[in-house]
Structure formats: C-alpha cells, structure tokens
Amino acid sequence: TLPEFVVYIAFYWRVLEPSKAIANAYANVQRGLVSGNRIFAILDAVPAIKNRPNPIPLKSIEEDIVFDNVSFQYTNEPVLSDISLRIKKGQMIALVGPSGAGKSTMADLVPRFYDVTKGAIKIDGIDIRDYNQKDLISLMGIVTQETILFNDTIYNNITFGMENVTKEDVENAARIANAEEFILALEDGYNTNIGDRGAKLSGGQRQRLAIARAVLKNPPILILDEATSSLDEQTELAVLEGLQALTPKPTCIIITHRKSILQYCDREIKIENSKTIEM
Ligand code: ATP
C-alpha cells in the first residue's frame, strides 16, 4: 500500500546514511592502523650503532681526525681497505675518485652512520666508538647531494632544530652560502614557503639552503658530500670562499667531482680500488 511504501522509503533513507558512515569509519580505522604500523616501526627501531658503556663526552675537536688502518664492507665485498689518513683540525680536504669508489662511505664512517669493520677512526687520539655518539654527531654539519628540506618557510628551514638564533645569524649564514640574493628576490623573502621538500626552489637553491643551515650551526666538522653539485661554477666557488672565511675554521671533508673546488682545499685524497692515494 502507499502508506507502507512511504514508511519503507523513509526507513530506507534513515538506515542508508548511518550504514555508509559505519563502512567509512571502518575504512578510516584500517588506514590509521596501517599508518600507525609504519610510524611505530620507525619509532621502535633499535639503532644498530650504540654507545659503549661509560661513553666519553666530546665537546670539541682539538687536534685531528685520524683514519687508522680503516677497512669497511657493507656485504662481502670490501669497500675500503686499510685506509690511513690524518686530517688536522681546520684543514679542508677533498675526497675525489670514480663513482662508487667509496667516498660517501668514508665520510659516513666519521659520524658513525656505520662502524668500521677493521681499524679505528680517532678524534684527538680516542676511538670515536668510545665517545658519546650524540656528542659526536653534534660536532658535525653534514650536507649531502639530496637536501632535506621541509614544507615551511625559508627562515624555519635554515634554523631547523636550532634554538636561540637571531635574525642576523640566519642572514649571515645565508650570505655565506650565497643564498641571500635569491631569498631576497622572492616575494616574501625569508618568510616564503618552499613547498614539500623545497619543491618550489631550484636544485641549486635547495642546496644553498642546506649549506646555510649547516653554516648556521657553525660545526667544528663540516662534511659536504657533493653538496654543491647543482650549482654553477661561479656560485659554487663563492660558497667555498664563504666557507673558508668561517671563524673558527671548521675541519672540512668535501666530496667532489669538480676540479675547480680543489684550489680551495689543503689536500686532495683520491680513492681508487678501495685504497687512498694522497695527492
Ligand atoms: P659516488 O661518487 O657515485 O657518490 P662514492 O664514491 O661516494 O660514489 P659510495 O656511495 O661510498 O661511493 O659507495 C661505495 C660502494 O659501496 C659502491 O659499490 C656501492 O654500491 C656500495 N654501497 C654504498 N652504500 C651501500 C649500502 N648501504 N649497502 C650496500 N652497499 C653499499
């Protein structure tokens, strides 16, 4: 009958929406569980590199970084074999060599991203594995070819992770990294949002922001792993001149394929067939 039909339709519409909502809620819970698993897998990961018992605090570098017969392998193939090298405090050294020779690996051993397989790396005569790893990393500024930038303003990207910095410090760091000119040319200057991973900037601009961040930290040890590879030669040299003028002078390890950089370095170390040849 008509009344029954009207009641039926009304009932149908009343039930339809809540049942759709239940299905949606279930789908959302499932999405949340998957995301949660991925986040907690990272939060719960146990670091492979640990402090030894009673780690030694490390506040600065006084003398040198020494590679003492260092060998390293990721798998069965040796990447570095019996490397010995002394980098004096304040020196700027260039690591050069063919692609895949082990330059990045050598630099990654200094902050203990990996531990050496044989031998030892020492800072001021003490094995870096004996130091508190947090202290060790806090001595370093590391800029790689792949910049790590966030969807935020230029200012916040440069100051990321640092407290009590002044506007002057940030501007000075940007100047040293040769970034000030392009920053000021943007409509909102330092307050410009750079998009996801800095997508609104060019590769060279991203690299200069990453260098400005490292310079702002003013670390005693600076590792640049092809950090200026996207810059034109003139800008790259201006950045290196800026780095050379830093006081106190950081100990720099620069990985590069560009010959023009070498004029700024105290020494050039070539890695070939897992060995080093000093030049
Ligand atoms: P490029 O100039 O191309 O950056 P590189 O000299 O910096 O090269 P590394 O990145 O240090 O070279 O790599 C040295 C060797 O170690 C390569 O043969 C590479 O395949 C290998 N390797 C690098 N990282 C890993 C890893 N996480 N696991 C296993 N092998 C790796």
Side-chain angles (χ1 to χ4, degrees):
T1 62
L2 183 66
E4 276 169 347
F5 181 67
V6 171
V7 169
Y8 170 74
I9 290 292
F11 178 75
Y12 177 77
W13 284 112
R14 292 293 290 266
V15 167
L16 191 67
E17 281 308 313
S19 44
K20 269 198 328 206
I22 289 172
N24 277 342
Y26 181 73
N28 279 338
V29 167
Q30 288 302 318
R31 267 215 299 268
L33 284 176
V34 172
S35 307
N37 280 341
R38 288 165 62 184
I39 292 167
F40 285 114
I42 292 170
L43 294 181
D44 296 340
V46 181
I49 307 286
K50 294 198 182 89
N51 275 336
R52 284 180 171 168
N54 306 319
I56 303 170
L58 177 66
K59 293 282 164 267
S60 63
I61 161 171
E62 302 298 333
E63 293 284 332
D64 53 18
I65 304 170
V66 172
F67 282 70
D68 187 3
N69 273 311
V70 167
S71 298
F72 180 78
Q73 56 197 59
Y74 290 104
T75 49
N76 291 333
E77 277 292 300
V79 177
L80 301 170
S81 306
D82 290 325
I83 294 207
S84 290
L85 176 71
R86 176 169 180 242
I87 307 165
K88 280 197 276 185
K89 179 186 175 181
Q91 261 190 345
M92 193 179 263
I93 69 145
L95 287 184
V96 300
S99 196
K103 303 180 294 294
S104 302
T105 303
M106 199 165 154
D108 285 349
L109 295 178
V110 181
R112 281 189 78 195
F113 290 157
Y114 301 97
D115 270 340
V116 299
T117 319
K118 217 185 88 206
I121 298 176
K122 296 174 181 172
I123 291 183
D124 296 341
I126 295 174
D127 191 327
I128 54 171
R129 287 169 290 190
D130 291 334
Y131 287 122
N132 187 337
Q133 202 211 356
K134 207 171 164 194
D135 289 354
L136 181 72
I137 288 190
S138 65
L139 285 194
M140 296 180 204
I142 302 167
V143 189
T144 58
Q145 199 171 0
E146 293 288 326
T147 50
I148 300 169
L149 296 171
F150 302 94
N151 190 345
D152 204 338
T153 61
I154 289 186
Y155 190 92
N156 289 343
N157 268 284
I158 296 179
T159 60
F160 183 76
M162 273 170 282
E163 287 163 4
N164 306 326
V165 285
T166 64
K167 197 162 173 278
E168 285 73 40
D169 291 338
V170 175
E171 287 169 356
N172 191 36
R175 222 168 286 134
I176 290 171
N178 215 264
E180 192 172 47
E181 199 180 316
F182 87 79
I183 295 173
L184 295 181
L186 295 168
E187 203 175 319
D188 292 322
Y190 284 88
N191 294 322
T192 309
N193 183 292
I194 59 170
D196 269 336
R197 298 175 178 218
K200 293 183 196 164
L201 300 177
S202 76
Q205 290 171 337
R206 284 200 288 270
Q207 286 195 327
R208 280 178 279 170
L209 281 197
I211 293 171
R213 181 195 288 157
V215 167
L216 180 64
K217 192 180 165 194
N218 200 5
I221 300 171
L222 193 56
I223 298 175
L224 304 182
D225 188 349
E226 291 179 47
T228 51
S229 57
S230 302
L231 301 183
D232 63 87
E233 196 171 317
Q234 210 178 346
T235 314
E236 182 173 49
L237 298 184
V239 171
L240 276 149
E241 264 168 33
L243 293 180
Q244 279 212 320
L246 283 177
T247 48
K249 220 172 159 199
T251 308
C252 281
I253 300 176
I254 300 181
I255 297 171
T256 181
H257 286 290
R258 302 251 189 106
K259 290 236 175 323
S260 52
I261 290 188
L262 301 178
Q263 61 184 304
Y264 292 95
C265 298
D266 297 298
R267 286 157 69 202
E268 178 187 346
I269 312 290
K270 187 168 187 186
I271 307 181
E272 221 169 56
N273 301 328
S274 77
K275 302 264 185 205
T276 54
I277 308 161
E278 185 153 353
M279 300 161 88

